[in-house]
Amino acid sequence: MNGLRSRVLSALAGQLGHPHGLLGKGVVRILNRGNARAIAGAVDAAVDGGAQAVADIGFGGGAGLSMLLEQADPAGVVHGIELSADMLARARKVFAREVNGGRLQLTEGSLTDLPLPDATLDAAITVNTVYFVPDLDAACAELARVLRPNGRLVVGIGDPDVMAKAPFTPYGFILRPVGEVVAALERAGFHVEQRKLDQQPIPHHLLVARPSAT
């Protein structure tokens, strides 16, 4: 029984980090519902109406793409970057009009290998993704590379103490203290403001990061 439980939880953890296949379709609904408030908070903190180029990195179920399309400058571009080929294919269907019109650009990529030129983005969000990145410094440096000097990045993470109590997090999640994530962002050249969303069942921390020179 313990072996079966471990296999089920390991499969769930893998899907949360990289949704795919038939099970991934159910995970999409979980991601969009469970992450909605954190994503909305990240979008509100990152984007103003004048943002011309924005991105959701690791967009998963696509809730963040919808919010960015609503809140960013209508004349600008929303970038959706995702590692899962299945999530990219799904987003191309759901947002076919925006993709065909050039308002939304969907690309395969990861936090440590972003398919964007230097200084491309006015704003970027990435929510519940850093648990799956072994090299956090490399990810923060890559995020700093693609952000413009006056840009804004928001990294959303579930409270690590609460996350540690979830049955699936021992299976592939890297749960870092919030201060460790802040320190990595600061090493990459960001000034970081911490905000907390006391949502249930998992409170979230929003790390609002701006290049230190601004």
Side-chain angles (χ1 to χ4, degrees), residues 177-213:
V178 175
E180 186 176 327
V181 183
V182 171
L185 288 165
E186 291 175 342
R187 286 193 294 272
F190 288 107
H191 170 76
V192 183
E193 172 195 350
Q194 298 186 52
R195 304 179 187 178
K196 189 173 182 182
L197 300 175
D198 289 318
Q199 64 186 56
Q200 297 300 324
I202 301 176
H204 274 70
H205 299 266
L206 298 180
L207 307 180
V208 184
R210 301 173 179 85
S212 295

mmCIF file of all heavy atoms in Angstrom, residues 177-213:
data_model
loop_
_atom_site.group_PDB
_atom_site.id
_atom_site.type_symbol
_atom_site.label_atom_id
_atom_site.label_comp_id
_atom_site.label_asym_id
_atom_site.label_seq_id
_atom_site.Cartn_x
_atom_site.Cartn_y
_atom_site.Cartn_z
ATOM 1 N N PRO A 177 13.416 28.307 1.905
ATOM 2 C CA PRO A 177 12.920 29.432 2.704
ATOM 3 C C PRO A 177 12.753 30.669 1.827
ATOM 4 O O PRO A 177 13.510 30.875 0.868
ATOM 5 C CB PRO A 177 14.033 29.644 3.746
ATOM 6 C CG PRO A 177 14.761 28.340 3.814
ATOM 7 C CD PRO A 177 14.682 27.754 2.428
ATOM 8 N N VAL A 178 11.786 31.500 2.167
ATOM 9 C CA VAL A 178 11.532 32.699 1.374
ATOM 10 C C VAL A 178 12.786 33.563 1.296
ATOM 11 O O VAL A 178 13.133 34.102 0.241
ATOM 12 C CB VAL A 178 10.354 33.501 1.965
ATOM 13 C CG1 VAL A 178 10.159 34.816 1.217
ATOM 14 C CG2 VAL A 178 9.074 32.670 1.921
ATOM 15 N N GLY A 179 13.498 33.663 2.408
ATOM 16 C CA GLY A 179 14.712 34.473 2.424
ATOM 17 C C GLY A 179 15.768 33.990 1.451
ATOM 18 O O GLY A 179 16.557 34.792 0.923
ATOM 19 N N GLU A 180 15.797 32.683 1.197
ATOM 20 C CA GLU A 180 16.759 32.139 0.238
ATOM 21 C C GLU A 180 16.426 32.569 -1.186
ATOM 22 O O GLU A 180 17.326 32.883 -1.982
ATOM 23 C CB GLU A 180 16.773 30.615 0.343
ATOM 24 C CG GLU A 180 17.831 29.937 -0.509
ATOM 25 C CD GLU A 180 17.879 28.440 -0.293
ATOM 26 O OE1 GLU A 180 17.614 27.996 0.857
ATOM 27 O OE2 GLU A 180 18.167 27.706 -1.253
ATOM 28 N N VAL A 181 15.148 32.626 -1.499
ATOM 29 C CA VAL A 181 14.735 33.080 -2.824
ATOM 30 C C VAL A 181 15.012 34.575 -2.972
ATOM 31 O O VAL A 181 15.503 35.037 -4.012
ATOM 32 C CB VAL A 181 13.252 32.768 -3.075
ATOM 33 C CG1 VAL A 181 12.847 33.185 -4.487
ATOM 34 C CG2 VAL A 181 12.968 31.280 -2.872
ATOM 35 N N VAL A 182 14.718 35.334 -1.936
ATOM 36 C CA VAL A 182 15.004 36.770 -1.958
ATOM 37 C C VAL A 182 16.497 37.015 -2.173
ATOM 38 O O VAL A 182 16.893 37.856 -2.991
ATOM 39 C CB VAL A 182 14.536 37.438 -0.648
ATOM 40 C CG1 VAL A 182 15.037 38.885 -0.564
ATOM 41 C CG2 VAL A 182 13.015 37.400 -0.544
ATOM 42 N N ALA A 183 17.330 36.260 -1.462
ATOM 43 C CA ALA A 183 18.777 36.444 -1.586
ATOM 44 C C ALA A 183 19.263 36.146 -3.000
ATOM 45 O O ALA A 183 20.142 36.842 -3.529
ATOM 46 C CB ALA A 183 19.500 35.558 -0.572
ATOM 47 N N ALA A 184 18.692 35.122 -3.635
ATOM 48 C CA ALA A 184 19.080 34.795 -5.011
ATOM 49 C C ALA A 184 18.685 35.925 -5.967
ATOM 50 O O ALA A 184 19.445 36.273 -6.879
ATOM 51 C CB ALA A 184 18.441 33.482 -5.439
ATOM 52 N N LEU A 185 17.517 36.504 -5.761
ATOM 53 C CA LEU A 185 17.096 37.631 -6.591
ATOM 54 C C LEU A 185 18.015 38.840 -6.376
ATOM 55 O O LEU A 185 18.399 39.526 -7.323
ATOM 56 C CB LEU A 185 15.647 38.005 -6.279
ATOM 57 C CG LEU A 185 14.576 37.029 -6.773
ATOM 58 C CD1 LEU A 185 13.235 37.316 -6.098
ATOM 59 C CD2 LEU A 185 14.429 37.095 -8.292
ATOM 60 N N GLU A 186 18.391 39.071 -5.143
ATOM 61 C CA GLU A 186 19.291 40.197 -4.860
ATOM 62 C C GLU A 186 20.660 39.971 -5.483
ATOM 63 O O GLU A 186 21.273 40.922 -5.996
ATOM 64 C CB GLU A 186 19.389 40.402 -3.355
ATOM 65 C CG GLU A 186 18.094 40.935 -2.736
ATOM 66 C CD GLU A 186 18.145 41.034 -1.230
ATOM 67 O OE1 GLU A 186 19.019 40.392 -0.611
ATOM 68 O OE2 GLU A 186 17.298 41.743 -0.657
ATOM 69 N N ARG A 187 21.145 38.745 -5.456
ATOM 70 C CA ARG A 187 22.436 38.467 -6.102
ATOM 71 C C ARG A 187 22.380 38.702 -7.601
ATOM 72 O O ARG A 187 23.393 39.017 -8.236
ATOM 73 C CB ARG A 187 22.865 37.015 -5.822
ATOM 74 C CG ARG A 187 23.353 36.778 -4.411
ATOM 75 C CD ARG A 187 24.062 35.439 -4.273
ATOM 76 N NE ARG A 187 23.173 34.308 -4.472
ATOM 77 C CZ ARG A 187 22.457 33.726 -3.520
ATOM 78 N NH1 ARG A 187 22.506 34.196 -2.269
ATOM 79 N NH2 ARG A 187 21.687 32.692 -3.784
ATOM 80 N N ALA A 188 21.186 38.556 -8.177
ATOM 81 C CA ALA A 188 21.018 38.792 -9.612
ATOM 82 C C ALA A 188 20.841 40.278 -9.942
ATOM 83 O O ALA A 188 20.702 40.625 -11.119
ATOM 84 C CB ALA A 188 19.818 38.005 -10.134
ATOM 85 N N GLY A 189 20.824 41.125 -8.924
ATOM 86 C CA GLY A 189 20.751 42.556 -9.168
ATOM 87 C C GLY A 189 19.389 43.185 -8.940
ATOM 88 O O GLY A 189 19.140 44.303 -9.392
ATOM 89 N N PHE A 190 18.511 42.490 -8.221
ATOM 90 C CA PHE A 190 17.175 43.017 -7.966
ATOM 91 C C PHE A 190 17.068 43.618 -6.569
ATOM 92 O O PHE A 190 17.713 43.165 -5.619
ATOM 93 C CB PHE A 190 16.128 41.902 -8.071
ATOM 94 C CG PHE A 190 15.854 41.412 -9.461
ATOM 95 C CD1 PHE A 190 16.314 40.167 -9.877
ATOM 96 C CD2 PHE A 190 15.137 42.183 -10.355
ATOM 97 C CE1 PHE A 190 16.054 39.699 -11.157
ATOM 98 C CE2 PHE A 190 14.870 41.729 -11.634
ATOM 99 C CZ PHE A 190 15.323 40.483 -12.033
ATOM 100 N N HIS A 191 16.210 44.622 -6.461
ATOM 101 C CA HIS A 191 15.702 45.065 -5.163
ATOM 102 C C HIS A 191 14.345 44.384 -4.977
ATOM 103 O O HIS A 191 13.508 44.419 -5.894
ATOM 104 C CB HIS A 191 15.536 46.587 -5.132
ATOM 105 C CG HIS A 191 14.801 47.079 -3.917
ATOM 106 N ND1 HIS A 191 15.382 47.159 -2.665
ATOM 107 C CD2 HIS A 191 13.519 47.483 -3.764
ATOM 108 C CE1 HIS A 191 14.499 47.610 -1.798
ATOM 109 N NE2 HIS A 191 13.358 47.814 -2.436
ATOM 110 N N VAL A 192 14.116 43.783 -3.823
ATOM 111 C CA VAL A 192 12.945 42.924 -3.637
ATOM 112 C C VAL A 192 12.041 43.448 -2.525
ATOM 113 O O VAL A 192 12.496 43.736 -1.411
ATOM 114 C CB VAL A 192 13.363 41.475 -3.309
ATOM 115 C CG1 VAL A 192 12.124 40.577 -3.190
ATOM 116 C CG2 VAL A 192 14.310 40.933 -4.375
ATOM 117 N N GLU A 193 10.765 43.559 -2.838
ATOM 118 C CA GLU A 193 9.731 43.867 -1.857
ATOM 119 C C GLU A 193 8.914 42.596 -1.620
ATOM 120 O O GLU A 193 8.491 41.935 -2.569
ATOM 121 C CB GLU A 193 8.817 44.976 -2.385
ATOM 122 C CG GLU A 193 7.596 45.244 -1.513
ATOM 123 C CD GLU A 193 6.531 46.063 -2.217
ATOM 124 O OE1 GLU A 193 6.816 46.591 -3.319
ATOM 125 O OE2 GLU A 193 5.407 46.150 -1.688
ATOM 126 N N GLN A 194 8.695 42.261 -0.363
ATOM 127 C CA GLN A 194 7.941 41.050 -0.028
ATOM 128 C C GLN A 194 6.501 41.396 0.329
ATOM 129 O O GLN A 194 6.249 42.303 1.121
ATOM 130 C CB GLN A 194 8.591 40.324 1.147
ATOM 131 C CG GLN A 194 9.998 39.842 0.873
ATOM 132 C CD GLN A 194 10.535 39.004 2.019
ATOM 133 O OE1 GLN A 194 9.894 38.049 2.471
ATOM 134 N NE2 GLN A 194 11.715 39.350 2.501
ATOM 135 N N ARG A 195 5.567 40.659 -0.263
ATOM 136 C CA ARG A 195 4.157 40.782 0.085
ATOM 137 C C ARG A 195 3.623 39.381 0.383
ATOM 138 O O ARG A 195 4.135 38.397 -0.137
ATOM 139 C CB ARG A 195 3.364 41.402 -1.063
ATOM 140 C CG ARG A 195 3.880 42.755 -1.521
ATOM 141 C CD ARG A 195 3.059 43.311 -2.676
ATOM 142 N NE ARG A 195 3.652 44.532 -3.235
ATOM 143 C CZ ARG A 195 3.161 45.202 -4.264
ATOM 144 N NH1 ARG A 195 2.049 44.755 -4.874
ATOM 145 N NH2 ARG A 195 3.764 46.281 -4.712
ATOM 146 N N LYS A 196 2.574 39.308 1.192
ATOM 147 C CA LYS A 196 2.007 37.994 1.524
ATOM 148 C C LYS A 196 0.509 37.992 1.285
ATOM 149 O O LYS A 196 -0.196 38.948 1.619
ATOM 150 C CB LYS A 196 2.304 37.629 2.983
ATOM 151 C CG LYS A 196 1.930 36.183 3.319
ATOM 152 C CD LYS A 196 2.382 35.787 4.715
ATOM 153 C CE LYS A 196 2.029 34.324 4.993
ATOM 154 N NZ LYS A 196 2.423 33.911 6.371
ATOM 155 N N LEU A 197 0.044 36.923 0.678
ATOM 156 C CA LEU A 197 -1.382 36.681 0.491
ATOM 157 C C LEU A 197 -1.797 35.572 1.453
ATOM 158 O O LEU A 197 -1.355 34.426 1.304
ATOM 159 C CB LEU A 197 -1.667 36.258 -0.951
ATOM 160 C CG LEU A 197 -1.279 37.232 -2.059
ATOM 161 C CD1 LEU A 197 -1.531 36.588 -3.426
ATOM 162 C CD2 LEU A 197 -2.054 38.529 -1.933
ATOM 163 N N ASP A 198 -2.635 35.902 2.399
ATOM 164 C CA ASP A 198 -3.028 34.914 3.413
ATOM 165 C C ASP A 198 -4.212 34.086 2.920
ATOM 166 O O ASP A 198 -5.234 33.950 3.596
ATOM 167 C CB ASP A 198 -3.369 35.606 4.728
ATOM 168 C CG ASP A 198 -2.137 36.165 5.403
ATOM 169 O OD1 ASP A 198 -1.109 35.470 5.413
ATOM 170 O OD2 ASP A 198 -2.202 37.299 5.913
ATOM 171 N N GLN A 199 -4.078 33.512 1.728
ATOM 172 C CA GLN A 199 -5.136 32.683 1.178
ATOM 173 C C GLN A 199 -5.026 31.268 1.735
ATOM 174 O O GLN A 199 -3.988 30.858 2.240
ATOM 175 C CB GLN A 199 -5.037 32.635 -0.347
ATOM 176 C CG GLN A 199 -3.744 31.979 -0.861
ATOM 177 C CD GLN A 199 -3.615 32.072 -2.360
ATOM 178 O OE1 GLN A 199 -3.654 33.148 -2.915
ATOM 179 N NE2 GLN A 199 -3.451 30.947 -3.014
ATOM 180 N N GLN A 200 -6.095 30.544 1.641
ATOM 181 C CA GLN A 200 -6.120 29.161 2.120
ATOM 182 C C GLN A 200 -6.409 28.225 0.950
ATOM 183 O O GLN A 200 -7.064 28.618 -0.006
ATOM 184 C CB GLN A 200 -7.202 29.003 3.212
ATOM 185 C CG GLN A 200 -6.938 29.834 4.459
ATOM 186 C CD GLN A 200 -5.634 29.474 5.133
ATOM 187 O OE1 GLN A 200 -5.237 28.298 5.167
ATOM 188 N NE2 GLN A 200 -4.942 30.473 5.662
ATOM 189 N N PRO A 201 -5.902 27.002 1.001
ATOM 190 C CA PRO A 201 -5.194 26.393 2.127
ATOM 191 C C PRO A 201 -3.703 26.721 2.190
ATOM 192 O O PRO A 201 -3.057 26.423 3.176
ATOM 193 C CB PRO A 201 -5.398 24.895 1.872
ATOM 194 C CG PRO A 201 -5.446 24.790 0.376
ATOM 195 C CD PRO A 201 -6.162 26.019 -0.083
ATOM 196 N N ILE A 202 -3.142 27.359 1.140
ATOM 197 C CA ILE A 202 -1.711 27.635 1.131
ATOM 198 C C ILE A 202 -1.491 29.132 0.951
ATOM 199 O O ILE A 202 -1.741 29.676 -0.136
ATOM 200 C CB ILE A 202 -0.992 26.860 0.003
ATOM 201 C CG1 ILE A 202 -1.191 25.358 0.179
ATOM 202 C CG2 ILE A 202 0.508 27.195 -0.004
ATOM 203 C CD1 ILE A 202 -0.592 24.520 -0.936
ATOM 204 N N PRO A 203 -1.056 29.842 1.995
ATOM 205 C CA PRO A 203 -0.683 31.250 1.820
ATOM 206 C C PRO A 203 0.461 31.363 0.811
ATOM 207 O O PRO A 203 1.262 30.442 0.656
ATOM 208 C CB PRO A 203 -0.229 31.682 3.222
ATOM 209 C CG PRO A 203 -0.803 30.648 4.150
ATOM 210 C CD PRO A 203 -0.860 29.375 3.365
ATOM 211 N N HIS A 204 0.524 32.497 0.128
ATOM 212 C CA HIS A 204 1.561 32.705 -0.868
ATOM 213 C C HIS A 204 2.364 33.972 -0.569
ATOM 214 O O HIS A 204 1.837 34.938 -0.018
ATOM 215 C CB HIS A 204 0.951 32.826 -2.273
ATOM 216 C CG HIS A 204 0.747 31.506 -2.938
ATOM 217 N ND1 HIS A 204 -0.201 30.601 -2.531
ATOM 218 C CD2 HIS A 204 1.400 30.918 -3.984
ATOM 219 C CE1 HIS A 204 -0.148 29.524 -3.302
ATOM 220 N NE2 HIS A 204 0.817 29.693 -4.179
ATOM 221 N N HIS A 205 3.620 33.936 -0.953
ATOM 222 C CA HIS A 205 4.499 35.087 -0.885
ATOM 223 C C HIS A 205 4.716 35.610 -2.303
ATOM 224 O O HIS A 205 5.018 34.821 -3.216
ATOM 225 C CB HIS A 205 5.837 34.708 -0.259
ATOM 226 C CG HIS A 205 5.722 34.200 1.140
ATOM 227 N ND1 HIS A 205 5.855 35.013 2.244
ATOM 228 C CD2 HIS A 205 5.457 32.943 1.612
ATOM 229 C CE1 HIS A 205 5.692 34.290 3.341
ATOM 230 N NE2 HIS A 205 5.451 33.034 2.988
ATOM 231 N N LEU A 206 4.559 36.899 -2.479
ATOM 232 C CA LEU A 206 4.848 37.548 -3.752
ATOM 233 C C LEU A 206 6.118 38.372 -3.578
ATOM 234 O O LEU A 206 6.160 39.292 -2.741
ATOM 235 C CB LEU A 206 3.699 38.452 -4.183
ATOM 236 C CG LEU A 206 2.346 37.778 -4.424
ATOM 237 C CD1 LEU A 206 1.309 38.812 -4.847
ATOM 238 C CD2 LEU A 206 2.453 36.677 -5.472
ATOM 239 N N LEU A 207 7.128 38.034 -4.334
ATOM 240 C CA LEU A 207 8.402 38.745 -4.281
ATOM 241 C C LEU A 207 8.456 39.689 -5.481
ATOM 242 O O LEU A 207 8.617 39.233 -6.626
ATOM 243 C CB LEU A 207 9.559 37.744 -4.302
ATOM 244 C CG LEU A 207 9.468 36.642 -3.231
ATOM 245 C CD1 LEU A 207 10.666 35.699 -3.335
ATOM 246 C CD2 LEU A 207 9.342 37.232 -1.842
ATOM 247 N N VAL A 208 8.245 40.965 -5.221
ATOM 248 C CA VAL A 208 8.185 41.974 -6.281
ATOM 249 C C VAL A 208 9.589 42.522 -6.459
ATOM 250 O O VAL A 208 10.127 43.200 -5.569
ATOM 251 C CB VAL A 208 7.192 43.092 -5.911
ATOM 252 C CG1 VAL A 208 7.065 44.089 -7.048
ATOM 253 C CG2 VAL A 208 5.820 42.502 -5.552
ATOM 254 N N ALA A 209 10.180 42.238 -7.603
ATOM 255 C CA ALA A 209 11.591 42.524 -7.829
ATOM 256 C C ALA A 209 11.778 43.545 -8.949
ATOM 257 O O ALA A 209 11.194 43.420 -10.021
ATOM 258 C CB ALA A 209 12.328 41.228 -8.184
ATOM 259 N N ARG A 210 12.590 44.547 -8.661
ATOM 260 C CA ARG A 210 12.942 45.565 -9.649
ATOM 261 C C ARG A 210 14.464 45.627 -9.762
ATOM 262 O O ARG A 210 15.158 45.476 -8.751
ATOM 263 C CB ARG A 210 12.409 46.935 -9.227
ATOM 264 C CG ARG A 210 10.889 46.991 -9.053
ATOM 265 C CD ARG A 210 10.490 48.354 -8.466
ATOM 266 N NE ARG A 210 9.053 48.477 -8.297
ATOM 267 C CZ ARG A 210 8.388 48.048 -7.231
ATOM 268 N NH1 ARG A 210 9.033 47.445 -6.247
ATOM 269 N NH2 ARG A 210 7.083 48.214 -7.134
ATOM 270 N N PRO A 211 14.991 45.881 -10.942
ATOM 271 C CA PRO A 211 16.437 46.068 -11.051
ATOM 272 C C PRO A 211 16.931 47.136 -10.088
ATOM 273 O O PRO A 211 16.302 48.197 -9.952
ATOM 274 C CB PRO A 211 16.628 46.490 -12.508
ATOM 275 C CG PRO A 211 15.471 45.865 -13.227
ATOM 276 C CD PRO A 211 14.323 45.937 -12.261
ATOM 277 N N SER A 212 18.004 46.859 -9.371
ATOM 278 C CA SER A 212 18.458 47.741 -8.295
ATOM 279 C C SER A 212 18.818 49.140 -8.772
ATOM 280 O O SER A 212 18.779 50.094 -8.003
ATOM 281 C CB SER A 212 19.664 47.111 -7.586
ATOM 282 O OG SER A 212 19.274 45.923 -6.937
ATOM 283 N N ALA A 213 19.170 49.290 -10.017
ATOM 284 C CA ALA A 213 19.586 50.599 -10.535
ATOM 285 C C ALA A 213 18.414 51.544 -10.687
ATOM 286 O O ALA A 213 18.600 52.744 -10.880
ATOM 287 C CB ALA A 213 20.281 50.431 -11.884
#
